[in-house]
Structure formats: structure tokens, C-alpha cells
């Protein structure tokens, strides 16, 4: 079978050439469409059920909401784990499914059970709903809504939050790949009716009377239509409240023919909803944050670009003096990561090419073997795109070009040796008669060496089998790496059967064939001076060699057990993140005050550009943190703009020492993505 493929490839050069071009086109198309992320997303297949209940303490939330939801979800097929968090006014139940269940099927199953959960929750305590279709690493873009200098008195935290919810959020919601725009901070505007109990009693009214009157007078009704002559008239009653004054004038009842209105028994004013979180920035107090959450499985680069374009359009429609300023942009990290990967691939490929040209002795041979590197990578990109594997630091960072070109080196080197032995004979032939001879030499070389090359590559593929059996977080992290490497090796195997014999028979022979070069001389010197003496010495002194091998093995095991390790390579993201905690029961104003002091301390470092704090839970509480928990994002200036020569680690040490003076504040320094990873792994 192998010989037949090789023979067909050599005899049908045009077909193989066209298939090679097709591979190039497929690989480039896949490379342009493949999802690109900084790191693999290790979030498991989960669905969150979120219930807000403003009137219940944590114990009641657990008893009346969380337990019924857990009970309703416990019998779903494919469930591996159910965990929950119950806090004051908030219940979050996370249902974890098997990965094979798929994303949308699990949400369908959960949505069918939500009705049962609602039936088991008393009316008025809260309505459970599913969280957004995103992941723990889905917060790809974050921004603040700020008032420009000179407009800060005009736009308070309530107005900025209203602009975020009614202008920015609504326009961002149509961006492809965006599943949720979460709002943090500011005050959610509400119309409040502050009842005066004395006035209410004086009219012999109850709170229920007031509630029913406001509810009944805040609606539109339809009355069908009437026909009059040739015209048709629709009848409707308009009763929706349009202003505070409308609420004040709402009639509750009448006393002695005099209407009693809401304004007679209460004060109607603008207020805000109960808050479970806040946001502060640069020690200046309250701010408003928007968090763009990406649809699970979407291409983060494309989504961020679309978000940026839409924000540029939204900025034009904002009221004068209001501006959107991003402070977390995943593009920076992705560009840095992909730049690192590109640099490593380029440097590694260049080193391999130079080594091949030097050791094989001819530029032709080196370039023929080296050409298998980009072709194998393009094959791997095509397979990654077909299977939905994203390009990231883990999936591409472990690529080894030396292993990829191993089979091609064996074939081309053996063919070069055959050409050297037949060089005098080939030179006497005309170009037309020489090609059949070159075809025979290529077939003989490839068919003879391909078995050895294939065997070695299969052994390498077998090594990846244990990695492919990993489950859970480990599987999500390392299986893409193993598959990408395996795809590249598989592509190299296919190319060694088809492309390498064809291109070698066509281009390998040249004027330099058969001549000794510096590569040959170096290999002869290495064989004579190093290889043969070492082999002879090892065969002569078997016992010392065996003892030395055992000692080295033991030393390697000892070093391995004591060297420590990292689950993933530590990325330098360019920004810092701190998860801070204060004693349980700390009030929201106290948290804002303490975080303001922390922000001012951090802004004192010349390397810091902006400091933003997210306190407690957001509007969509995918992270159900208590008010005493705060996530601080420290946006750093580019390293080339630092006035000091500090390293990132030294800067962290100085920051830790600086904020240690704050009483009751404990924090752990990390990085935005790294912090998310730690939360997902915990």
C-alpha cells in the first residue's frame, strides 16, 4: 500500500502538486477562521440558575429557593455535579453536565425543569432564570462610563448607570458573539413611594390599598373598535405613568367626594434599587462598569473587533460630556500570546532550516525538508478548524519541528546518498532521460526508508494516547495540545508518502549533488572524533556505563520531585489583579471607602495607569460574591514607558508592602486571566 502511494505520487506530479496547493488553501482559510484565544477555556459544561430575592436572608434563600432548584435539577440526565451559593437576596445554582451532552441540549433540559422549580418556590420570593451562555473566561472586554471633566456635576452615578443600561447596553446587545453586557456600579434608577404612616392611618387606608391603586392606574387597556360611517376607530385607554407627578396624582379612594391621591399619603421621589455590589475607580468614588461577555465558543478576536467598532458608533450617540473608556481588552493579551507563538515558531523553524541545510549539505535538500514544516502546520490548522480547537498558547506552544521533519530527513538524506553514488551516470544523461532515473531513485529511497520513518512517527503518536484519555480540567487543557501536535505529525506522514517523493524526484538533483561540503566534513569529523571513540569506550567499560546511567536516572528523578511545577506556563498579561477581602458583614459604603484608599495608594506608583474595583456581585451575578469581596484591576502602562527598571515581581512586592497599611484589607495579587483560572480550578 505504501509503495503504491509513493509510486502514484512520483508518476503523477501534477495531481500531487494540485493537492498540495489545495492543502495550502485549506490551511490558510482555516487559519483565518480558527478561534484565537490566549489560553484554552477550561470551564466545564455548566448551566447557572440565578434567582434574585430582595427580601430574604441567606438562610431563607437556601431553604425557600436554592433547595427547590437543586431538587428540580437533580434528576436531569448527564448531571455530574450540582453546587450552589446562597447569599442575602441571591441564589446561584450551578448544574454541571458531562461534556458530551453539549451546550444547548443542557440548557434545554434546565429550562424544562425551571417550571417545576418555580412551582416549588412561593409566589413573590423570586423567579429563577438561566445565566448567560458564557464561560469563566468570557469577560473579554470591560469599560467604564465616565463624565468628562467639567461635566461631573451634571452626571451623577444614577444618570451614568441609566445611560449604560438604556443606551450603551441596548446597542451592544446586537453585536454577533456577545451574549450579555453586565452592569456593575452606579445606582439603578427607581421611582420610590415613601409612605407616611400617620397620613395613611388618617384616611383609614392600608399599604395594600396604596399598592393596588398604583398598580391599577399604571396600565393601558384596549376597548376594541367602533365603526362610524366609512371609518374605523380603535378604542383604548392610556393610563401608563409617565412622570413622578402622574404617580402623585394617582387616586387611591375618595372621602366625602374628595379624591385621596398617592401624594396625600406619601412622598414620591427618585431612588435606587437595593445594591449587592458597587464599582469605584482611581480613588474618585463611584463609577459605572460595563462587562462584555462572549458567547461560549465564539472567536474572541472577531467579537472584540466588532465590539470596538460598535462602541465607536455608540460614542457618537451619547449625551455630551459622557465617554466610554475601556480598561480590560483581551486583544492585548491575545496579541502578546500570538506574538510569542509566532516568534517561537519562526525562530524554531529558522534554526531547523539552517541545521538541515548545514547537515544535509545542500540548500536544495534543506529547503525540501524544511518545506514540510509549513505544510504540516497548515494541515494541523485545517484539522483544528474542523474540530473546533482554538489556537492558543497551549495548543501551538508545544510544537516541535524536529519531530515533524524527522521522516522527511530520513527519505531525503537517503535519496541524496543514492544520487551521490549515481552522480556520474546521471550527468551523462539528457534532461529528458534523466527524469525517469530520478523517479526510480526517489521511489527506491522513499519505499525503503518510509517504513522506518512511519514506525518512528507512529511511536510518537502512541505517546499522546495517555494525554487523550485525560478528563475534566486536565483534558480541556492538554488534549488540544496533543491533538494539534498529532495532526501536524499525521500531516507530515501523509506528505512523506506523497509530496516529499514527488518534489525530491523533481528538484533534489542539482550541480552540487555528489560533492563534499562542509556538512559532510563535519559529520565525518564528528563520527571519527566523537561517535566512534564513545561507542568503543562504552562497549569496553560496560559496568561503569551502567552504573553511571543508573546514577543519572536517580539524580533526574530526585530533581524532578523537588523542582516544583506549574499547571500552565505563567503568562505575563501586562496588568495586575487583586482579590481583596474584608471581614464578613462589612457595609458597602465601608468597602467603597477602603477600596478608594487602596486605589489612591496604587495610583501613587508611576507604572500604574488606572485602578478599577468591582465590589460584590454584578447585575447578572455570575460571580455571587459577597459585599466584602472586591476584584481590583490594575491597568499598567506599557513596560517601555516605565521610568523604573523594576521587574513585574519587584513591582508586586512594593505594592503588597504599600497596601499592607490598610486595616482589615487582605488581598492576593494575581493577573486578570490567571485569577479566573484559579477560580475555575478551585
Amino acid at each position: 500500500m505504501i509503495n503504491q502511494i509513493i509510486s502514484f505520487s512520483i508518476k503523477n506530479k501534477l495531481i500531487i502538486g494540485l493537492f498540495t496547493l489545495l492543502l495550502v488553501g485549506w490551511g490558510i482559510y482555516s487559519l483565518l477562521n480558527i478561534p484565537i484565544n490566549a489560553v484554552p477555556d477550561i470551564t466545564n459544561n455548566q448551566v447557572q440558575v440565578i434567582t434574585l430575592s430582595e427580601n430574604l436572608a441567606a438562610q431563607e434563600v437556601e431553604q425557600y429557593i436554592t433547595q427547590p432548584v437543586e431538587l428540580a435539577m437533580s434528576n436531569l440526565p448527564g448531571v455530574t455535579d450540582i453546587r450552589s451559593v446562597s447569599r442575602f437576596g441571591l441564589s446561584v445554582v450551578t448544574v454541571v453536565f458531562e461534556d458530551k451532552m453539549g451546550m444547548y441540549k443542557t440548557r434545554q433540559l434546565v429550562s424544562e425543569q425551571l417550571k417545576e422549580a418555580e412551582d416549588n418556590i412561593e409566589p413573590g420570593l423570586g423567579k429563577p432564570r438561566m445565566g448567560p451562555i458564557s464561560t469563566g473566561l468570557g469577560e473579554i472586554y470591560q469599560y467604564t462610563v465616565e463624565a468628562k471633566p467639567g461635566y461631573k456635576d451634571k452626571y451623577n452615578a444614577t444618570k451614568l448607570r441609566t445611560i449604560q443600561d438604556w443606551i450603551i447596553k441596548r446597542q451592544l446587545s446586537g453585536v454577533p458573539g456577545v451574549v450579555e453586557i453586565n452592569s456593575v456600579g452606579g445606582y439603578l434608577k427607581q421611582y420610590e413611594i415613601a409612605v407616611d404612616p400617620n397620613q395613611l392611618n388618617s384616611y383609614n387606608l392600608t399599604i395594600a390599598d396604596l399598592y393596588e391603586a398604583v398598580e391599577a392606574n399604571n396600565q393601558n387597556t384596549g376597548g376594541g373598535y367602533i365603526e362610524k360611517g366609512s371609518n374605523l376607530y380603535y378604542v383604548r385607554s392610556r393610563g401608563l405613568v409617565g412622570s413622578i407627578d402622574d404617580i402623585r396624582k394617582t387616586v387611591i379612594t375618595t372621602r366625602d367626594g374628595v379624591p385621596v391621591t398617592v401624594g396625600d399619603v406619601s412622598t414620591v421621589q427618585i431612588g435606587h434599587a437595593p445594591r449587592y455590589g458597587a464599582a469605584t475607580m482611581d480613588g474618585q468614588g463611584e463609577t459605572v462598569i460595563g462587562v462584555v461577555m462572549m458567547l461560549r465558543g465564539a472567536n474572541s478576536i472577531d467579537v472584540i473587533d466588532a465590539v470596538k467598532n460598535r462602541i465607536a458608533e455608540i460614542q457618537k450617540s451619547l449625551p455630551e460630556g459622557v465617554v466610554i473608556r475601556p480598561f480590560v481588552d483581551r486583544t492585548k493579551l491575545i496579541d502578546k500570546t500570538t506574538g510569542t507563538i509566532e516568534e517561537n515558531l519562526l525562530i524554531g523553524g529558522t534554526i531547523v532550516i539552517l541545521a538541515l541545510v548545514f547537515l544535509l549539505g545542500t540548500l536544495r535538500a534543506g529547503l525540501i525538508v524544511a518545506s514540510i514544516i509549513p505544510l504540516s502546520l497548515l494541515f494541523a490548522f485545517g484539522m483544528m478548524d474542523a474540530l473546533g480547537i482554538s489556537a492558543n498558547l497551549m495548543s501551538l506552544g508545544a510544537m516541535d519541528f524536529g519531530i515533524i521533519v524527522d521522516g522527511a530527513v530520513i527519505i531525503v538524506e537517503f535519496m541524496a546518498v543514492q544520487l551521490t553514488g549515481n552522480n556520474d551516470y546521471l550527468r551523462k544523461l539528457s534532461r529528458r532521460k534523466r527524469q525517469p532515473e530520478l523517479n526510480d531513485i526517489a521511489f527506491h529511497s522513499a519505499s525503503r526508508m518510509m517504513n522506518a520513518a512511519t514506525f518512528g512517527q507512529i511511536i510518537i503518536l502512541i505517546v499522546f494516547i495517555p494525554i487523550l484519555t485525560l478528563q475534566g480540567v486536565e483534558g480541556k487543557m492538554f488534549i488540544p495540545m496533543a491533538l494539534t501536535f498529532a495532526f501536524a505529525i499525521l500531516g507530515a506522514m501523509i506528505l512523506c508518502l506523497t509530496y516529499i517523493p514527488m518534489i525530491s524526484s523533481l528538484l533534489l538533483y542539482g550541480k552540487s549533488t555528489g560533492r563534499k561540503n562542509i556538512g559532510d566534513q563535519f559529520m565525518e569529523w564528528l563520527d571519527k572524533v566523537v561517535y566512534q571513540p564513545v561507542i568503543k569506550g562504552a562497549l569496553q567499560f560496560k559496568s561503569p556505563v551502567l552504573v553511571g546511567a543508573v546514577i543519572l536516572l536517580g539524580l533526574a528523578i530526585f530533581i524532578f520531585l523537588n523542582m516544583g511545577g506549574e499547571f500552565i506556563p505563567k503568562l505575563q498579561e501586562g496588568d495586575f489583579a487583586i482579590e481583596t477581602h474584608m471581614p464578613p458583614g462589612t457595609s458597602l459604603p465601608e468597602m467603597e471607602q477602603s477600596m478608594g484608599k487602596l486605589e489612591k495608594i496604587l495610583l501613587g506608583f508611576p507604572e500604574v495607569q488606572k485602578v478599577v474595583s468591582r465590589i460584590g456581585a454584578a447585575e447578572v451575578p455570575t460571580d455571587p460574591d459577597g459585599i466584602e469581596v472586591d476584584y481590583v484591576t490594575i491597568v499598567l502602562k506599557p513596560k517601555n514607558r516605565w521610568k523604573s527598571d523594576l521587574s513585574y515581581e519587584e513591582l508586586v512586592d512594593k505594592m503588597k508592602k504599600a497596601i499592607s497599611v490598610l486595616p482589615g484589607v487582605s488581598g492576593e495579587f494575581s493577573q486578570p486571566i490567571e485569577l479566573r483560572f484559579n477560580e475555575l480550578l478551585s
Side-chain angles (χ1 to χ4, degrees):
M1 181 67 178
I2 291 179
N3 291 342
Q4 292 175 348
I5 296 175
I6 295 173
S7 177
F8 176 85
S9 302
I10 295 173
K11 293 178 181 178
N12 299 275
K13 295 180 176 61
L14 179 60
I15 295 177
I16 299 303
L18 292 176
F19 271 105
T20 304
L21 292 177
L22 184 63
L23 169 62
V24 172
W26 178 46
I28 293 176
Y29 173 80
S30 301
L31 179 60
L32 296 176
N33 290 276
I34 194 171
I36 300 176
N37 295 303
V39 290
D41 196 333
I42 60 174
T43 308
N44 49 26
N45 188 15
Q46 61 178 239
V47 179
Q48 285 186 319
V49 179
I50 302 171
T51 310
L52 298 177
S53 181
E54 300 178 357
N55 303 320
L56 299 183
Q59 295 88 342
E60 284 76 24
V61 169
E62 175 69 22
Q63 180 179 355
Y64 298 125
I65 298 178
T66 301
Q67 290 183 2
V69 172
E70 289 180 339
L71 182 62
M73 303 299 162
S74 59
N75 293 325
L76 290 176
V79 174
T80 61
D81 185 27
I82 298 178
R83 55 180 183 266
S84 62
V85 175
S86 299
R87 296 190 182 278
F88 171 73
L90 173 63
S91 167
V92 178
V93 178
T94 303
V95 187
V96 182
F97 292 86
E98 299 173 354
D99 289 333
K100 65 180 182 181
M101 294 289 291
M103 176 174 58
Y104 294 105
K105 181 180 179 180
T106 56
R107 294 183 68 86
Q108 177 63 31
L109 293 172
V110 171
S111 67
E112 293 173 356
Q113 291 298 105
L114 282 181
K115 178 60 179 174
E116 178 184 337
E118 290 180 28
D119 293 340
N120 293 329
I121 297 174
E122 295 183 19
L125 294 185
K127 184 176 181 180
R129 58 189 177 93
M130 287 189 291
I133 315 174
S134 188
T135 66
L137 300 180
E139 298 180 354
I140 59 173
Y141 195 86
Q142 300 183 39
Y143 58 87
T144 56
V145 183
E146 305 175 21
K148 295 180 181 179
Y151 292 88
K152 294 187 180 297
D153 294 336
K154 183 178 180 181
Y155 298 103
N156 56 23
T158 301
K159 291 183 178 180
L160 291 176
R161 175 62 183 267
T162 303
I163 292 172
Q164 157 65 14
D165 290 340
W166 291 90
I167 300 179
I168 301 174
K169 181 175 180 177
R170 291 197 170 198
Q171 295 187 55
L172 275 178
S173 297
V175 175
V178 173
V179 70
E180 181 66 62
I181 297 91
N182 210 349
S183 300
V184 188
Y187 297 90
L188 184 60
K189 181 179 178 180
Q190 287 186 344
Y191 294 98
E192 290 184 351
I193 301 175
V195 179
D196 185 339
N198 295 325
Q199 289 292 331
L200 200 65
N201 290 332
S202 67
Y203 288 105
N204 195 26
L205 295 174
T206 64
I207 292 290
D209 297 329
L210 177 63
Y211 181 87
E212 292 173 0
V214 173
E215 183 180 32
N217 283 274
N218 184 31
Q219 56 185 330
N220 289 348
T221 59
Y225 64 89
I226 59 175
E227 297 176 352
K228 190 172 183 180
S230 61
N231 296 323
L232 181 70
Y233 298 94
Y234 292 96
V235 179
R236 67 190 182 104
S237 172
R238 297 173 59 184
L240 286 179
V241 170
S243 65
I244 291 180
D245 198 45
D246 289 342
I247 301 176
R248 292 194 186 102
K249 294 178 180 179
T250 299
V251 176
I252 305 174
T253 186
T254 58
R255 292 289 185 268
D256 299 327
V258 178
V260 179
T261 64
V262 172
D264 294 331
V265 298
S266 65
T267 301
V268 183
Q269 59 193 8
I270 297 294
H272 62 83
R275 301 207 303 162
Y276 304 100
T280 58
M281 181 186 68
D282 293 344
Q284 300 176 4
E286 190 78 29
T287 189
V288 177
I289 295 175
V291 181
V292 179
M293 304 182 72
M294 182 180 69
L295 177 68
R296 181 170 186 167
N299 190 331
S300 56
I301 287 291
D302 294 340
V303 176
I304 294 174
D305 288 342
V307 168
K308 288 180 177 179
N309 294 333
R310 182 62 61 85
I311 284 182
E313 297 175 3
I314 296 173
Q315 184 65 64
K316 301 175 183 177
S317 65
L318 294 180
E320 184 182 2
V322 179
V323 64
I324 301 173
R325 289 197 172 97
F327 66 94
V328 171
D329 184 352
R330 189 72 59 81
T331 307
K332 294 190 297 182
L333 179 60
I334 294 175
D335 290 343
K336 184 180 295 187
T337 304
T338 53
T340 301
I341 294 174
E342 291 172 359
E343 182 180 354
N344 292 342
L345 295 180
L346 181 62
I347 294 175
T350 302
I351 293 174
V352 170
I353 291 172
L354 294 176
L356 290 172
V357 172
F358 176 75
L359 295 176
L360 293 178
T362 65
L363 182 62
R364 290 171 180 257
L367 293 179
I368 288 174
V369 174
S371 65
I372 206 172
I373 295 176
L375 293 175
S376 299
L377 286 178
L378 290 174
F379 179 84
F381 290 143
M383 295 299 296
M384 290 170 66
D385 184 41
L387 297 180
I389 300 174
S390 67
N392 53 64
L393 181 64
M394 292 299 295
S395 60
L396 295 179
M399 199 66 66
D400 190 335
F401 294 137
I403 296 177
I404 292 175
V405 303
D406 188 46
V409 169
I410 296 174
I411 295 173
V412 173
E413 183 182 23
F414 187 76
M415 184 175 175
V417 173
Q418 297 298 310
L419 291 175
T420 301
N422 295 277
N423 189 48
D424 295 335
Y425 169 71
L426 292 172
R427 287 187 179 183
K428 296 176 182 179
L429 300 176
S430 64
R431 183 182 298 271
R432 185 174 61 85
K433 293 183 179 180
R434 186 187 302 150
Q435 189 59 53
E437 296 294 333
L438 293 174
N439 290 347
D440 292 339
I441 294 175
F443 174 76
H444 174 71
S445 302
S447 59
R448 181 172 177 180
M449 303 307 297
M450 194 58 206
N451 288 330
T454 304
F455 179 77
Q457 290 168 328
I458 290 175
I459 291 298
I460 296 172
L461 291 176
I462 292 175
V463 172
F464 287 110
I465 292 179
I467 298 179
L468 298 177
T469 62
L470 294 175
Q471 302 292 324
V473 173
E474 295 83 358
K476 292 179 182 294
M477 180 65 67
F478 296 110
I479 286 179
M481 176 201 70
L483 287 176
T484 303
F485 202 175
F487 292 151
I489 294 176
L490 181 61
M493 291 175 61
I494 297 173
L495 292 168
C496 286
L497 286 171
T498 55
Y499 167 77
I500 290 296
M502 180 274 291
I503 201 70
S504 297
S505 66
L506 195 63
L507 300 178
L508 186 58
Y509 180 79
K511 293 182 180 180
S512 61
T513 304
R515 298 178 183 176
K516 279 196 173 184
N517 52 68
I518 189 171
D520 295 330
Q521 296 172 0
F522 174 75
M523 294 303 296
E524 289 179 0
W525 175 84
L526 196 65
D527 179 72
K528 182 178 180 180
V529 176
V530 180
Y531 183 71
Q532 290 189 19
V534 171
I535 291 295
K536 291 178 181 179
L539 294 174
Q540 185 176 358
F541 302 100
K542 297 182 179 65
S543 297
V545 171
L546 289 174
V547 173
V550 173
I551 293 174
L552 288 175
L553 177 62
L555 183 62
I557 294 174
F558 175 79
I559 294 175
F560 175 77
L561 295 176
N562 291 275
M563 68 186 303
E566 292 280 352
F567 182 68
I568 59 171
K570 188 177 182 64
L571 294 174
Q572 190 50 255
E573 301 178 26
D575 295 324
F576 293 150
I578 316 175
E579 182 180 357
T580 63
H581 294 262
M582 290 191 71
T586 303
S587 66
L588 195 55
E590 177 65 21
M591 282 293 297
E592 290 183 288
Q593 184 179 2
S594 298
M595 292 306 105
K597 295 178 181 178
L598 182 143
E599 291 162 4
K600 289 181 179 179
I601 292 174
L602 294 175
L603 277 176
F605 289 85
E607 297 83 4
V608 176
Q609 181 175 335
K610 179 183 284 191
V611 184
V612 181
S613 298
R614 290 173 52 183
I615 303 170
E619 180 185 18
V620 181
T622 52
D623 293 321
D625 296 308
I627 291 176
E628 69 277 0
V629 180
D630 176 44
Y631 292 95
V632 182
T633 301
I634 307 172
V635 182
L636 301 176
K637 297 176 182 177
K639 193 73 164 27
N640 55 13
R641 289 173 51 193
W642 289 15
K643 297 181 180 180
S644 64
D645 57 353
L646 295 174
S647 65
Y648 285 102
E649 292 74 17
E650 292 171 339
L651 181 59
V652 167
D653 292 338
K654 286 183 174 293
M655 288 181 174
K656 286 181 179 178
K657 185 177 180 180
I659 66 174
S660 62
V661 299
L662 295 175
V665 178
S666 61
E668 180 180 353
F669 274 79
S670 183
Q671 301 177 102
I673 299 295
E674 184 180 0
L675 181 61
R676 282 294 179 187
F677 257 97
N678 293 336
E679 291 178 345
L680 292 173
L681 293 173
S682 61

